[in-house]
Amino acid sequence: MLTTRFVTGAPNWLDLGTPDIDRAAGFYDALFGWQFQSAGPEAGGYGFFRLDGRTVAGGMQTGAEDGPPAWTVYFQSPDADATVKAVEKAHGSVLMAPMDVMAQGRMALLTDRAGVPYGIWQPGQLKGLDVVSESGSLCWLELYTPDIAAAAGYYNAVLGWETSSVSFDEGFYTCFNPGGQSEDTMFAGLVQLHDDPTDSGAAPYWLPYIAVDDPDGVCERAGQLGGTVRLAPTDVPDVGRMAKLADPFGARFAVLRPEPRQEG
């Protein structure tokens, strides 16, 4: 489960790169109630999506040279420079070398062996997102990859992640948790890219899930707002009701109404 008790390797930030931040902000406001607030001129157009005054994500306007519109997930690193060295040793790539973001923290943008972009965030004054795992906020991640074993080995070498398996009727679902933590801290699953018909022919990528109370209503609104429903709302036993979408510019995300947790 995602929490804001950010430990080494855990997801601690999420942001959107989009060619039209104003229109994208309107889309996510109508969908989730997120309000976009600029971080000021010194932040180069970067800003924060807030829900009830709490930061749920970041975002900024990007150009074609920055790649396609997409959500990027960041993972906590105690030392961004050391993590980048581990990435290079593990045959990943560095898209943006470590840089200080004022006094807020230190970041880098990377890709894994399969070319999947992601970021690392070494906290300074900004520790991470204000809220996760509540309605309207990040609650899960999936990595769509051509080689689950290779991806597991890469992220273990770079960020110390451990894996475990959850059994389903059709097989097993491999999950990530931060190194040295219990399986209760699982935050992501791995999906064989070519086994998913919604991503046939797509490049590998990270998919963020946003918790919602009404996935069907979200999908209906998304279509009305120019978004795309990539996978219609579907019930997953013992998990919840989920759907996959893309915003009007093609940035992919998913929504999930989790099943209530069973106590005891």
Side-chain angles (χ1 to χ4, degrees), residues 93-104:
S93 299
V94 180
L95 299 176
M96 179 186 294
M99 60 173 286
D100 291 325
V101 183
M102 297 175 280
Q104 299 302 307

Side-chain angles (χ1 to χ4, degrees), residues 55-111:
T55 299
V56 292
M60 70 178 298
Q61 192 152 307
T62 53
E65 69 279 4
D66 300 308
W71 283 100
T72 300
V73 60
Y74 296 73
F75 303 98
Q76 178 149 309
S77 168
D79 185 336
D81 297 82
T83 299
V84 166
K85 290 180 181 178
V87 166
E88 294 172 332
K89 185 176 180 180
H91 306 293
S93 299
V94 180
L95 299 176
M96 179 186 294
M99 60 173 286
D100 291 325
V101 183
M102 297 175 280
Q104 299 302 307
R106 190 164 173 81
M107 65 165 285
L109 293 176
L110 313 159
T111 73

Side-chain angles (χ1 to χ4, degrees), residues 7-250:
V7 298
T8 294
N12 63 353
W13 196 254
L14 177 72
D15 66 17
L16 174 69
T18 179
D20 188 336
I21 190 62
D22 292 331
R23 186 179 170 197
F27 174 82
Y28 290 104
D29 182 15
L31 215 58
F32 302 131
W34 293 356
Q35 298 290 310
F36 186 74
Q37 297 180 3
S38 170
E42 68 277 7
Y46 199 87
F48 304 102
F49 291 103
R50 298 187 189 275
L51 180 64
D52 298 329
R54 299 184 293 177
T55 299
V56 292
M60 70 178 298
Q61 192 152 307
T62 53
E65 69 279 4
D66 300 308
W71 283 100
T72 300
V73 60
Y74 296 73
F75 303 98
Q76 178 149 309
S77 168
D79 185 336
D81 297 82
T83 299
V84 166
K85 290 180 181 178
V87 166
E88 294 172 332
K89 185 176 180 180
H91 306 293
S93 299
V94 180
L95 299 176
M96 179 186 294
M99 60 173 286
D100 291 325
V101 183
M102 297 175 280
Q104 299 302 307
R106 190 164 173 81
M107 65 165 285
L109 293 176
L110 313 159
T111 73
D112 66 18
R113 289 175 188 161
V116 181
Y118 68 98
I120 52 172
W121 180 255
Q122 177 184 332
Q125 294 178 356
L126 179 65
K127 304 305 179 186
L129 300 174
D130 290 335
V131 58
V132 296
S133 297
E134 296 182 16
S135 183
S137 68
L138 181 69
C139 67
W140 188 249
L141 298 164
E142 279 183 332
L143 175 62
Y144 287 75
T145 179
D147 189 330
I148 288 176
Y154 170 85
Y155 286 103
N156 175 260
V158 170
L159 291 167
W161 294 352
E162 298 169 352
T163 58
S164 58
S165 293
V166 178
S167 61
F168 290 96
D169 290 342
E170 60 271 21
F172 293 91
Y173 184 60
T174 302
C175 298
F176 280 132
N177 61 269
Q181 305 293 313
S182 70
E183 291 183 8
D184 289 342
T185 63
M186 292 186 301
F187 59 81
L190 292 91
V191 179
Q192 192 77 35
L193 179 66
H194 303 303
D195 289 346
D196 192 315
T198 63
D199 288 299
S200 177
Y205 69 106
W206 277 104
L207 179 70
Y209 278 71
I210 307 300
V212 297
D213 298 324
D214 181 8
D216 297 76
V218 167
C219 288
E220 183 177 357
R221 290 197 302 277
Q224 294 168 349
L225 294 162
T228 303
V229 177
R230 302 172 54 240
L231 177 67
T234 303
D235 290 320
V236 180
D238 302 320
V239 174
R241 189 163 177 80
M242 57 82 65
K244 295 181 184 178
L245 306 98
D247 71 16
F249 303 100

